[in-house]
């Protein structure tokens, strides 16, 4: 089955700096790669996703890149704000959806 | 739509007791997933259903765990008997899959059920 690895497990940045989270996956059949944000006491919520026929996607301060050959994808958050502090999960999906272990992002004011 | 609804939000029980967690997916969604979240193991996929049919239950920890989806608007996850190591947050999520059950689209998660087994 699919195995998703995510790094780093924790990330602390200064407000206004950029944050990058990286993931790798194992199943070449996976073709959908979402990123979820989870705030304390809540369920994960989709923030951006990318499909295998696209190499990059951007939505305001958030961007994702995908390298299917190398089986890795990344989340980039620019101009970070304190409200970006949360746990972020990457996932890879074929028929089911498997998640990475999560990255706890802290943005210091 | 109210989103995915899970109950109870919190459950504290004693070892050996039966626990039933409930989920109402978003209307019109045809796939439903149960995940377990712990600090040590992150978000683990336990089981998922397509059109009310269980597709893959390989993530279910052991025979003490069972899940059902009797209709498109309701699913249960049961643990019998419960053990302290089952303590976790259990999430239900639903999505809509297109024709031929192509890859899973966006998952919508419930707020989770926090289970504590003493």
């Amino acid at each position: 089955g699919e195995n998703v690895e995510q790094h780093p497990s924790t990330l602390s940045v200064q407000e206004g700096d950029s944050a990058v989270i990286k993931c790798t996956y194992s199943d070449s059949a996976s073709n959908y790669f979402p990123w979820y944000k989870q705030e304390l006491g809540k369920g994960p919520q989709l923030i951006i996703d990318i499909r295998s026929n696209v190499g990059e996607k951007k939505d305001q301060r958030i961007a994702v890149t995908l390298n299917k050959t190398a089986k890795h994808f990344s989340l980039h958050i620019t101009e970070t704000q304190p409200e970006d502090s949360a746990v972020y999960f990457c996932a890879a999906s074929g028929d089911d959806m498997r998640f990475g272990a999560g990255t706890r992002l802290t943005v210091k004011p | 739509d109210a989103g995915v609804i899970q109950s109870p939000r919190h459950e504290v029980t004693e070892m050996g007791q039966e626990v039933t967690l409930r989920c109402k997916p978003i209307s019109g969604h045809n796939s439903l997933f149960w995940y377990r979240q712990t600090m040590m193991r992150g978000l683990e996929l336990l089981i998922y259903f397509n059109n009310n049919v269980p597709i893959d239950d390989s993530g279910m920890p052991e025979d003490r765990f069972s899940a059902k989806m009797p209709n498109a608007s309701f699913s249960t996850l049961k643990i019998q008997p419960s053990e302290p190591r089952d303590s976790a947050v259990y999430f239900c999520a639903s999505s809509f899959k297109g024709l031929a059950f192509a890859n899973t689209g966006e998952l919508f998660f419930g707020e989770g059920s926090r289970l504590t087994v003493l």
Side-chain angles (χ1 to χ4, degrees):
Chain A
E2 177 64 270
N3 182 45
V4 180
E5 305 247 345
Q6 182 172 348
H7 300 280
S9 56
T10 60
L11 180 59
S12 182
V13 300
Q14 207 66 41
E15 182 178 0
D17 288 349
S18 294
V20 180
I21 303 171
K22 298 183 179 183
C23 289
T24 60
Y25 62 99
S26 61
D27 188 352
S28 56
S30 292
N31 53 14
Y32 173 64
F33 307 91
W35 287 86
Y36 284 79
K37 177 182 181 182
Q38 186 178 26
E39 296 177 336
L40 198 60
K42 301 202 167 185
Q45 283 198 299
L46 180 74
I47 55 171
I48 195 167
D49 56 15
I50 191 167
R51 295 190 181 270
S52 58
N53 57 346
V54 175
E56 186 173 353
K57 183 177 178 181
K58 191 173 180 180
D59 182 4
Q60 299 182 340
R61 297 186 297 108
I62 297 174
V64 291
T65 58
L66 170 65
N67 183 328
K68 279 220 78 177
T69 304
K71 296 200 191 76
H72 64 72
F73 56 114
S74 301
L75 175 72
H76 304 251
I77 307 174
T78 58
E79 299 170 31
T80 53
Q81 301 166 2
E83 51 265 39
D84 294 331
S85 296
V87 179
Y88 291 81
F89 293 94
C90 62
S93 172
D95 190 53
D96 63 9
M97 190 172 297
R98 306 282 172 164
F99 285 81
T103 297
R104 182 173 296 279
L105 173 65
T106 303
V107 180
K108 294 179 284 187
Chain B
D1 199 315
V4 176
I5 299 173
Q6 291 187 246
S7 64
R9 290 294 314 276
H10 302 274
E11 172 106 4
V12 180
T13 191
E14 293 192 343
M15 183 173 65
Q17 296 297 305
E18 177 179 297
V19 173
T20 300
L21 307 179
R22 297 173 177 79
C23 176
K24 177 176 165 41
I26 291 173
S27 177
H29 282 186
N30 55 7
S31 291
L32 183 140
F33 299 73
W34 282 101
Y35 288 88
R36 176 171 69 175
Q37 185 174 39
T38 60
M39 287 293 292
M40 292 298 294
R41 301 172 72 92
L43 269 168
E44 298 176 275
L45 177 62
L46 300 178
I47 185 171
Y48 73 99
F49 297 81
N50 285 342
N51 268 8
N52 313 337
V53 175
I55 302 301
D56 184 355
D57 65 355
S58 59
M60 296 286 259
E62 46 199 271
D63 291 345
R64 298 184 296 106
F65 285 68
S66 62
K68 292 183 179 179
M69 192 164 186
N71 57 62
S73 58
F74 184 66
S75 177
T76 59
L77 178 67
K78 187 174 291 188
I79 309 172
Q80 166 64 15
S82 58
E83 295 182 4
R85 61 191 166 124
D86 301 331
S87 298
V89 180
Y90 291 81
F91 285 102
C92 174
S94 70
S95 73
F96 176 76
K97 280 194 175 192
L99 292 175
F101 294 110
N103 64 279
T104 297
E106 177 181 358
L107 289 191
F108 292 81
F109 282 81
E111 297 279 87
S113 294
R114 180 175 293 277
L115 173 65
T116 302
V117 183
L118 304 174

